Amino acid sequence: MNKQERVTFVINTLKELYPTIPIPLNHKDPYTLLIAVLLSAQCTDVRVNQITPLLFAKADNPYDMIKLSVEEIKEIIRPCGLSPMKSKGIHGLSHILIDKHGGKVPQSFEFLEELPAVGHKTASVLMSQAFGVPAFPVDTHIHRLMYRWNLTNGKNVVRTEKDAKRIFPKEIWNDLHLQIIWYGREYSPARGWDLEKDIITKTIGRKTVLEDYAKKYTSSK
């Protein structure tokens, strides 16, 4: 297959596997999504979805959030890891949303990335999932799969995002990045990877990746 045929194969396979696409993080509005995404740094979505109901029961908007102390937030979110940094970020960004944005999450990459603890990936998730603006947030799953599928050189997530935006149609970015995440979790994980179940990598995978897998599989028998 040439590159365009591989891209089409990825799109069609993912569409067939995930005709409806669940959002990984539970939320009810842009603010609760923002907090959930912030908590998901170096933490599983499953764990985040267990903790956010406890936090949101006390504060599901910036006005209630700033009534909590940083220490109170830290105690609630401790199971998500990095709680000192995340609790300060949540408290700080809630103040900024009230002071600068009328308590609303701004619909702008520029303003989102000015918030404490909010980087480009978090801003991209908000723009795509909360506001429907085309974006392509790159997490570890997407970074890994784009390399395995020989669609990027895999040097860094910035390069991977640029390549993804260049080769995939803009109108499907918001669905496609979620489909790739789900596929990575279910069929092409970093650990416990079974190539026989990973139809996309098995069909279009980078030659060196397939060779490395074959060596590892052969040596483990």
Side-chain angles (χ1 to χ4, degrees), residues 11 13-25 27 129 171-183 185-186:
I11 293 170
T13 302
L14 292 174
K15 194 180 294 183
E16 188 176 322
L17 286 171
Y18 305 104
T20 57
I21 311 152
I23 303 293
L25 293 167
H27 65 283
Q129 295 179 17
E171 62 271 17
I172 67 169
W173 287 355
N174 290 356
D175 283 347
L176 189 68
H177 87 265
L178 287 172
Q179 289 169 322
I180 296 175
I181 289 170
W182 285 112
Y183 185 89
R185 290 176 179 177
E186 294 187 41

Side-chain angles (χ1 to χ4, degrees), residues 113-162:
E113 291 181 34
E114 287 177 354
L115 297 172
V118 175
H120 180 67
K121 180 201 155 193
T122 297
S124 296
V125 173
L126 263 292
M127 293 300 285
S128 64
Q129 295 179 17
F131 303 125
V133 175
F136 211 103
V138 173
D139 73 346
T140 54
H141 297 289
I142 293 175
H143 187 52
R144 179 177 66 253
L145 267 58
M146 287 284 290
Y147 179 78
R148 282 182 176 175
W149 298 343
N150 201 18
L151 299 178
T152 189
N153 62 25
K155 286 184 177 177
N156 55 59
V157 293
V158 174
R159 177 78 259 167
T160 298
E161 181 181 342
K162 285 181 180 176

Side-chain angles (χ1 to χ4, degrees), residues 23-211:
I23 303 293
L25 293 167
N26 297 335
H27 65 283
K28 66 176 183 176
D29 56 22
Y31 179 76
T32 52
L33 177 60
L34 174 59
I35 301 305
V37 176
L38 192 154
L39 290 175
S40 70
Q42 296 185 37
C43 181
T44 66
D45 291 346
V46 171
R47 176 63 58 84
V48 173
N49 288 336
Q50 292 169 345
I51 299 304
T52 47
L54 306 176
L55 179 62
F56 296 153
K58 291 180 179 289
D60 62 357
N61 62 81
Y63 296 95
D64 287 334
M65 194 66 76
I66 64 170
K67 293 175 185 175
L68 299 176
S69 68
V70 172
E71 194 62 35
E72 286 175 305
I73 297 171
K74 185 169 75 172
E75 283 305 309
I76 296 170
I77 68 171
R78 190 180 297 278
C80 292
L82 306 177
S83 58
M85 181 196 75
K86 291 177 181 178
S87 57
K88 287 177 185 175
I90 290 170
H91 203 267
L93 69 81
S94 297
H95 267 291
I96 293 172
L97 291 180
I98 294 168
D99 295 341
K100 290 190 175 181
H101 303 289
K104 302 289 186 184
V105 177
Q107 299 186 37
S108 152
F109 277 102
E110 179 186 358
F111 289 135
L112 283 169
E113 291 181 34
E114 287 177 354
L115 297 172
V118 175
H120 180 67
K121 180 201 155 193
T122 297
S124 296
V125 173
L126 263 292
M127 293 300 285
S128 64
Q129 295 179 17
F131 303 125
V133 175
F136 211 103
V138 173
D139 73 346
T140 54
H141 297 289
I142 293 175
H143 187 52
R144 179 177 66 253
L145 267 58
M146 287 284 290
Y147 179 78
R148 282 182 176 175
W149 298 343
N150 201 18
L151 299 178
T152 189
N153 62 25
K155 286 184 177 177
N156 55 59
V157 293
V158 174
R159 177 78 259 167
T160 298
E161 181 181 342
K162 285 181 180 176
D163 288 337
K165 287 181 171 179
R166 180 173 49 80
I167 63 178
F168 293 119
K170 191 172 185 177
E171 62 271 17
I172 67 169
W173 287 355
N174 290 356
D175 283 347
L176 189 68
H177 87 265
L178 287 172
Q179 289 169 322
I180 296 175
I181 289 170
W182 285 112
Y183 185 89
R185 290 176 179 177
E186 294 187 41
Y187 299 100
S188 194
R191 299 177 184 176
W193 178 31
D194 182 353
L195 184 60
E196 290 304 310
K197 295 178 181 177
D198 183 354
I199 183 63
I200 297 180
T201 309
K202 189 178 179 183
T203 305
I204 65 162
R206 181 184 295 268
K207 185 180 178 183
T208 53
V209 168
L210 298 179
E211 288 174 348

